[in-house]
Amino acid sequence: MVYLTNPALLINIIHCSLFYFSSGVLGDSLTVLRSPQYVTFRDGQWPISGEKIPDLVALTMGFSIHEDLDWPGLAAGWLFQRPRANALIVVRGLDSLDFPKNISCYPLENPVPFTLDSVANTVHTLFADSTPVVLQLAPSEERLYMMGMANTVFEDLPVTLQQIRGRLSQDGSVLTSLPLVSLSRNNEADLLFLSEVQVLYDISALLQKHKHLAKDPAPDLYSLELAGLEEIVRRYGTDSPQFTDATRILTSALQKFADDVANVYANNAVVEVVTVKTFEAPLTRKSRSILESKQISNPGSPYNLAYKYDYDYAVVFNIVLWLMIVLALSVIVISYNLWNMDPGYDSIIYRMTNQKIRMD
């Protein structure tokens, strides 16, 4: 047994251990692959809860949220400029990917299932007169939601497993362009993983074809959930060559997807990757309609009570406050000048009257 008698050495060991466990290496992570210069992610190892990911996406797009996000990783952005798009990819089956070291990566705690439905509703509400692109896709579950220009741009995108496997048999698919090595095209788990990689490549190709999307005034939203790697882990394990090859292929595909999105939107897009080994609870997704008129203002209240403050309370309060201050100062300045005005010299009415009297 070894005893440490040097307190300074013991403190250094404790600090290194804490940094190692808080660095996200042993846990789930949030990685920011691309972000504009005016959207600043600070360097640090601040953990973020999984349920706060939708709020983080909303803030990066310049939207307001109901509750403040108490997370120091995102700095205050430029008020008059917002990203043209946000793409969030959720990868299930592992806790981290081998991305370059010069990008921002944060530990993810409490990895509960989440969706970007609230952000999509905000985009639809604020830009109802425009044609934003909203794409939410989970190929393994054949779950798809499209809104706005997405119905036109991605109308030929294979979304069901049958359509994607048909796409894999065509020319230019990932089966012929990527080195599969230990992965097999005859295995169900391998085909599911390669199908999701094919979806990433097809979305990138369609975005390159429709570069006019970046000129639309409405921001675009992309949300993808990939579970193919989870099937690879379940079938082969994390020590298998299939898992190593799949991780390498997925990392390269995600980096290419981030580069293509940044290229289409002229570096005015945010691309995040959330890696989750497993969710803590199953995801239950309710059907919804954006055109539904009856909405509960506070879902947490059984009596349909409103929130304590309105959604735009801070904006309206600042407008009314500063307008009242400006009007009050204007009244004070005008009153002071009128009170100290000399009618014989400062008023053109009295000046002309005096001249007329003198002439008479």
Side-chain angles (χ1 to χ4, degrees), residues 313-333:
Y313 171 80
V315 178
V316 176
F317 176 80
N318 278 275
I319 292 176
V320 174
L321 173 65
W322 293 107
L323 182 60
M324 292 177 60
I325 293 176
V326 171
L327 291 177
L329 292 176
S330 301
V331 171
I332 293 174
V333 172

Side-chain angles (χ1 to χ4, degrees), residues 74 139 142 163 194 217 247 320 327 346 349:
L74 180 63
E142 297 187 351
Q163 293 175 348
L194 294 173
T247 304
V320 174
L327 291 177
D346 297 333
I349 299 176

Side-chain angles (χ1 to χ4, degrees), residues 38-42 46 56 59-60 71-78 106:
Y38 48 85
V39 179
T40 305
F41 287 89
R42 297 191 179 100
W46 299 288
L56 175 64
L59 288 178
T60 57
W71 186 64
L74 180 63
W78 181 243
Y106 307 95

Side-chain angles (χ1 to χ4, degrees), residues 164-178 180 185 194 197-198 201-202:
I164 299 175
R165 290 180 181 179
R167 172 69 179 88
L168 289 176
S169 61
Q170 299 176 2
D171 296 336
S173 67
V174 296
L175 294 180
T176 58
S177 61
L178 294 180
L180 303 183
R185 65 183 65 191
L194 294 173
V197 176
Q198 183 65 57
Y201 276 78
D202 289 343

